[in-house]
């Protein structure tokens, strides 16, 4: 079980957590969290939900970075012409 | 991969057994005893400088003791930040790991407070200003810019090295200041768990890491050793400045060079070589990459010889 799924099921229960996890994967066009980069993307998407899901997302994101994912470089907005 | 015979729960249990309060070790208003050396000879270069008077060697030992404690406080800055990251990664997940990591971070902060109290007592009573490294945030930034595996390798090095200082050089020493011994004993009691938690965290990171990532982490680690050596050289120069003030006499350029070299060599032995050659560290690194352990041994020999 991936850390992301583990955290979701810890907080939402096995069935609901699994359903939410699969739904998130669908929304992201993914079939599994096969790499740290996949987990990073999943964590960032979770963070957009706010509340406790954002807390789980932050945790998933940091876990992914510790395991080798590269966080996206910050791109500052271009100044108005 | 590391085949460890302990877990997070046992680290928490041990941590609870040995826990202490800063006030119990160095009560507020503590006066330091400057009649004795603070560091054993194996961790200080002062005793090798036979051209100095007994009192000058004692003062240089105490200057080194103060810098030694500051160096611990210094590296604990990045360790707290790293451990908090690892705790954040366990949020909503493994509660045994989360508890162990939260205690680890709390204890490191407590150690920083303990060392701050000691350094303040030193500054109040020593009578001469002594410069110490003060760019902890910058150094933390450099270390934390490396791969998480490399950060854990150097953290494990530092934690195991700390323990070795106490068990091999301080614990049985009857000549050094008893308050200093007590402070290092209490530090060691909790660092024992920290080294185990470092190893558990490292085991998690390397278990799914490609060999190229582990190899790159060793390159980062070896680079960090050079960065730490640069800090030790900077501290040695500050020690010379402090010694000049405390001696209150002319120090020739040749003598200054010998003092700085002795200080730097002692710091290198204490902070680099003892960590790189620590039995447990060598054993764990051998499980990660036997080839790289030879490289570490070779670099340790270079540090020891220079």
């Amino acid at each position: 079980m991936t850390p992301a799924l583990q955290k979701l099921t810890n907080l939402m229960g096995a069935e609901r957590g699994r359903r939410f996890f699969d739904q998130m994967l669908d929304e992201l066009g993914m079939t599994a969290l096969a790499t740290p980069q996949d987990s990073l993307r999943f964590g960032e998407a979770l963070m957009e939900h706010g509340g406790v899901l954002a807390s789980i997302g932050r945790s998933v994101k940091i876990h992914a970075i510790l395991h080798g994912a590269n966080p996206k470089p910050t791109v500052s907005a271009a100044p108005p012409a | 991969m590391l085949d460890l015979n302990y877990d997070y729960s046992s680290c928490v249990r041990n941590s609870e057994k040995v826990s202490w309060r800063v006030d119990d070790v160095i009560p507020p208003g503590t006066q330091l005893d400057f009649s004795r050396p603070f560091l054993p000879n194996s961790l200080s270069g002062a005793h090798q400088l036979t051209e100095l008077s007994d009192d000058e060697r004692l003062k240089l030992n105490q200057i080194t003791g103060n810098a030694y404690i500051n160096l611990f406080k210094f590296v604990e800055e990045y360790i707290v930040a790293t451990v908090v990251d690892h705790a954040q990664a366990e949020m909503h997940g493994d509660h045994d790991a989360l508890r162990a990591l939260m205690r680890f971070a709390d204890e490191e902060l407590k150690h920083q407070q303990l060392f701050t109290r000691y350094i303040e007592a030193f500054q109040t009573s020593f009578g001469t200003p002594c410069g110490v490294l003060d760019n902890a945030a910058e150094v933390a930034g450099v270390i934390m810019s490396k791969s998480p595996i490399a950060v854990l390798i150097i953290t494990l090095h530092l934690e195991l090295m700390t323990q070795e200082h106490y068990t091999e050089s301080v614990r049985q020493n009857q000549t050094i200041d008893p308050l200093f011994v007590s402070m290092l004993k209490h530090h060691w009691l909790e660092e024992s768990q920290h080294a185990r938690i470092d190893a558990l965290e490292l085991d998690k990171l390397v278990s799914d890491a490609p060999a190229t990532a582990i190899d790159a982490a060793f390159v980062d680690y070896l680079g960090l050793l050079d960065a730490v050596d640069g800090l030790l050289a900077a501290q040695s120069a500050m020690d010379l400045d402090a010694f000049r003030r405390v001696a209150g006499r002319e120090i020739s350029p040749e003598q200054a060079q010998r003092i700085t070299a002795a200080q730097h060599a002692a710091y290198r032995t204490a902070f680099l070589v003892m960590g790189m050659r620590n039995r447990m560290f060598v054993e764990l690194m051998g499980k990660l990459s036997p080839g790289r352990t030879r490289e570490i041994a070779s670099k340790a020999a270079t540090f020891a010889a220079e």
Side-chain angles (χ1 to χ4, degrees), chain B residues 31 116 221 234 247:
Chain B
Q31 298 291 313
T116 297
Y221 165 68

Side-chain angles (χ1 to χ4, degrees), chain B residues 79-94:
Chain B
I79 294 176
V80 170
T82 298
V83 172
V84 167
D85 275 352
H86 282 256
Q88 175 72 62
E90 290 299 342
M91 193 69 72
H92 312 297
D94 178 345

Side-chain angles (χ1 to χ4, degrees), chain A residues 6-7 10-11 52 55-56 58-59 62-63 65-67, chain B residues 85-86 88-94 148-149 204-205 208:
Chain A
Q6 180 75 62
K7 291 171 198 292
N10 279 353
L11 260 75
V52 73
S55 175
I56 296 174
R58 267 193 299 278
S59 178
I62 291 175
H63 188 279
I65 291 169
L66 290 176
H67 284 259
Chain B
D85 275 352
H86 282 256
Q88 175 72 62
E90 290 299 342
M91 193 69 72
H92 312 297
D94 178 345
I149 295 174
K204 284 195 298 202
L205 295 197
D208 58 3

Side-chain angles (χ1 to χ4, degrees), chain A residues 3-41:
Chain A
L5 178 57
Q6 180 75 62
K7 291 171 198 292
L8 286 169
T9 56
N10 279 353
L11 260 75
M12 302 169 84
E15 195 179 322
R16 204 164 135 241
R18 177 89 223 187
R19 201 164 53 239
F20 184 80
F21 178 76
D22 289 341
Q23 182 191 322
M24 284 284 298
L25 284 179
D26 271 353
E27 285 174 14
L28 293 168
M30 302 162 83
T31 54
L33 301 183
T35 68
Q37 211 61 35
D38 292 343
S39 295
L40 174 74
R41 196 172 153 217

